[in-house]
């Protein structure tokens, strides 16, 4: 079957990393990966981005399934629980907020910190890149945003090599956020389980075990 | 046409990622309203591809029982 154009969006993800490693200012492009799913969920009321257009998901699928880097093991149950997914979303948004605050601090006159922080802990020096052509706060946001993108990618790769290729999708903050938006938008619909018939819902509960 | 003996079942903790949609040879599973994957009982043949790919492992294949 002929592939559709959006099945090549993993190239966009790969290109993002190449551009970002060449010049950190390209990290700003990552805002598209944040904005598009939100717009689709709010305007369209679905997870079309996750379902079709997510380049990161496609890349993980490619690495995990085609290159066989994933063992295909079942992920632990806590990973898919609502409390963990929402908790991780809250944590991620808090860290995102702190990143925005440090951008504001630089805007207000604080010195630019040329480093990328991996997994919110490890500070990687990133002084080899030229960012003097833009305002320091623009560069600071790029460093912060690239840290967010790199951290989430590393987590995605880690869970890919431990469990199933797209295990990241289970706790992806954007996925959780868009699903909650959809849940809210379609709150009048009955989503008791994944059956077309309302009968035998218990069977779906068993499926979740 | 006789229905297959088995059918895919989706658990409530589905993350609606849509991985199952892509691998289903019968287009029997789809993400409904961005909330949960839903199985079309008429089309599903219980092949289990969706269960194998599901990153959250919330899909299982079971014997059909009556309406299931």
């Amino acid at each position: 079957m002929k592939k559709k154009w959006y099945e090549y969006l993993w190239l966009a993800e790969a290109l993002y990393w190449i551009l970002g490693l060449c010049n950190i200012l390209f990290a700003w492009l990552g805002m598209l990966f944040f904005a598009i799913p939100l717009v689709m969920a709010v305007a369209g009321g679905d997870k079309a981005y996750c379902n079709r257009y997510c380049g990161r998901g496609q890349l993980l699928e490619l690495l995990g399934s085609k290159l066989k880097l994933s063992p295909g093991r079942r992920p632990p149950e806590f990973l898919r629980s609502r409390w963990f997914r929402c908790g991780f979303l809250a944590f991620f948004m808090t860290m995102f907020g702190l990143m925005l605050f440090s951008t504001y601090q630089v805007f207000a006159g604080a010195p630019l910190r040329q480093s990328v922080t991996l997994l919110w802990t490890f500070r990687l020096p990133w002084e080899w890149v030229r960012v003097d052509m833009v305002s320091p706060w623009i560069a600071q946001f790029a460093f912060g945003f690239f840290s967010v993108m790199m951290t989430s990618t590393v987590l995605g790769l880690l869970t890919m090599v431990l469990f199933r290729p797209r295990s990241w999708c289970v706790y992806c903050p954007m996925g959780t956020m868009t699903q909650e938006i959809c849940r809210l938008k379609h709150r009048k619909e009955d989503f008791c389980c994944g059956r077309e018939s309302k009968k035998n819902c218990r069977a779906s509960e068993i499926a979740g075990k | 046409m006789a229905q297959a003996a088995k059918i895919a079942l989706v658990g409530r903790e589905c993350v609606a990622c849509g991985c199952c949609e892509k691998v289903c040879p019968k287009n029997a599973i789809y993400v409904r309203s961005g909330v949960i994957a839903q199985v079309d009982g008429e089309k599903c043949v219980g092949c289990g591809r969706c269960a194998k790919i599901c990153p959250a492992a919330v899909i299982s294949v079971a014997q059909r029982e009556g309406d299931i």
Side-chain angles (χ1 to χ4, degrees):
Chain A
M1 206 167 75
K2 199 185 170 194
K3 277 196 172 188
K4 298 197 172 66
W5 66 269
Y6 54 76
E7 289 177 73
Y8 295 96
L9 283 172
W10 60 272
L11 288 167
E13 178 77 11
L15 185 68
Y16 176 75
W17 287 107
I18 294 166
L19 290 174
L21 290 169
C22 289
N23 193 318
I24 194 107
L25 294 176
F26 283 108
W28 274 85
L29 287 175
M31 286 297 286
L32 291 172
F33 304 143
F34 269 48
I36 296 170
L38 284 177
V39 169
M40 281 182 158
V42 172
D46 60 22
K47 283 187 62 166
Y49 184 83
C50 296
N51 301 163
R52 283 188 285 277
Y53 310 112
C54 178
R56 174 175 298 184
Q58 289 177 15
L59 195 61
L60 290 171
E61 183 70 48
L62 200 74
L63 296 172
S65 297
K66 296 263 163 45
L67 299 184
K68 302 193 189 308
L69 295 176
S70 175
R73 204 180 290 135
R74 285 171 70 94
E77 279 185 31
F78 78 86
L79 208 66
R80 64 174 185 247
S81 66
R82 211 163 171 195
W83 69 263
F84 178 79
R85 294 178 67 213
C86 291
F88 187 70
L89 169 64
F91 173 72
F92 211 84
M93 292 313 288
T94 305
M95 301 315 276
F96 190 78
L98 289 173
M99 185 272 284
L100 289 180
F101 181 66
S102 64
T103 304
Y104 169 74
Q105 282 180 317
V106 172
F107 177 76
L112 171 70
R113 278 167 291 175
Q114 274 197 238
S115 61
V116 167
T117 311
L118 187 61
L119 297 168
W120 308 284
T121 312
F122 308 107
R123 190 161 280 188
L124 314 174
W126 216 269
E127 280 153 6
W128 42 272
V129 66
R130 269 197 64 201
V131 289
D132 53 0
M133 66 285 254
V134 294
S135 299
W137 72 269
I138 293 177
Q140 187 62 60
F141 181 84
F143 281 110
F145 200 76
F146 205 63
S147 304
V148 170
M149 295 299 280
M150 193 179 266
T151 296
S152 54
T153 303
V154 166
L155 288 175
L157 290 170
L158 270 176
T159 42
M160 179 200 75
V161 297
L162 287 173
F163 311 114
R164 291 184 178 174
R166 285 183 70 158
S167 295
W168 166 251
C169 301
V170 181
Y171 61 103
C172 167
M174 292 313 297
T176 306
M177 210 186 315
T178 50
Q179 190 177 19
E180 291 306 319
I181 291 169
C182 292
R183 218 187 284 273
L184 206 64
K185 281 203 81 159
H186 303 281
R187 61 188 173 278
K188 285 179 184 163
E189 289 179 43
D190 184 8
F191 293 110
C192 94
C193 63
R195 299 279 311 127
E196 286 201 323
S197 162
K198 280 188 187 176
K199 291 179 187 173
N200 297 302
C201 286
R202 201 186 65 80
S204 290
E205 284 173 22
I206 296 163
K209 295 272 183 291
Chain B
M1 197 175 75
Q3 284 188 323
K6 291 184 173 182
I7 189 170
L9 301 172
V10 182
R12 290 178 187 179
E13 287 174 321
C14 170
V15 298
C17 62
C19 294
C20 49
E21 266 185 13
K22 288 176 198 138
V23 295
C24 181
K26 301 285 178 188
N27 294 323
I29 191 163
Y30 61 95
V31 176
R32 182 179 149 205
S33 308
V35 177
I36 194 168
Q38 194 142 31
V39 179
D40 182 338
E42 296 290 313
K43 292 181 183 173
C44 181
V45 292
C47 67
R49 287 188 201 187
C50 52
K52 202 176 169 191
I53 199 86
C54 176
V58 293
I59 305 179
S60 64
V61 177
Q63 289 290 334
R64 281 180 194 264
E65 286 174 32
D67 183 62
I68 291 187

